[in-house]
Amino acid sequence: MTYLCLETGVQHLSDLVIRRTTLAIRGLVTDTVLREIAMVAAQALGWSAARQRNELHACTMALRQHHGVRLALTPVPNFVSPQDALSTDPLAQSQY
């Protein structure tokens, strides 16, 4: 998966799951598999935790709406944890 992320131009989790593997076609995408792939993609592509959650949500919705895959995952869109907010807030990082 890391190779696919780095060498095939993956931009989104759905690129990886739907277009670059046969997992969705073969009906092998489960909640656990999708989370594991999201973790590998996030590490390989340098995604923040917020980006990983958003990619997971978008991929889950694409699989449901366009491919009939029913997953239990219901990530909250646009949710940013307080820790992520601090890590991206330049004022929170500055030295007073």
Side-chain angles (χ1 to χ4, degrees):
M1 290 293 170
T2 300
Y3 174 84
L4 290 173
C5 289
L6 298 175
E7 300 297 328
T8 66
V10 168
Q11 296 294 311
H12 299 283
L13 183 59
S14 59
D15 290 341
L16 182 58
V17 174
I18 298 168
R19 295 178 189 92
R20 308 264 186 334
T21 70
T22 60
L23 293 171
I25 292 169
R26 294 171 47 207
L28 299 175
V29 179
T30 65
D31 295 305
T32 301
V33 168
L34 194 57
R35 284 185 193 275
E36 288 175 6
I37 294 171
M39 286 190 306
V40 171
Q43 185 176 17
L45 299 170
W47 293 343
S48 67
R51 169 82 187 263
Q52 182 179 339
R53 281 190 299 275
N54 289 339
E55 291 291 336
L56 193 53
H57 175 75
C59 186
T60 299
M61 297 310 294
L63 287 166
R64 284 181 184 161
Q65 293 172 355
H66 303 292
H67 302 283
V69 177
R70 299 291 174 223
L71 299 169
L73 289 173
T74 52
V76 179
N78 301 323
F79 173 79
V80 178
S81 72
Q83 185 177 30
D84 288 340
L86 287 175
S87 67
T88 59
D89 181 359
L91 293 176
Q93 296 175 0
S94 66
Q95 301 275 337
Y96 288 103

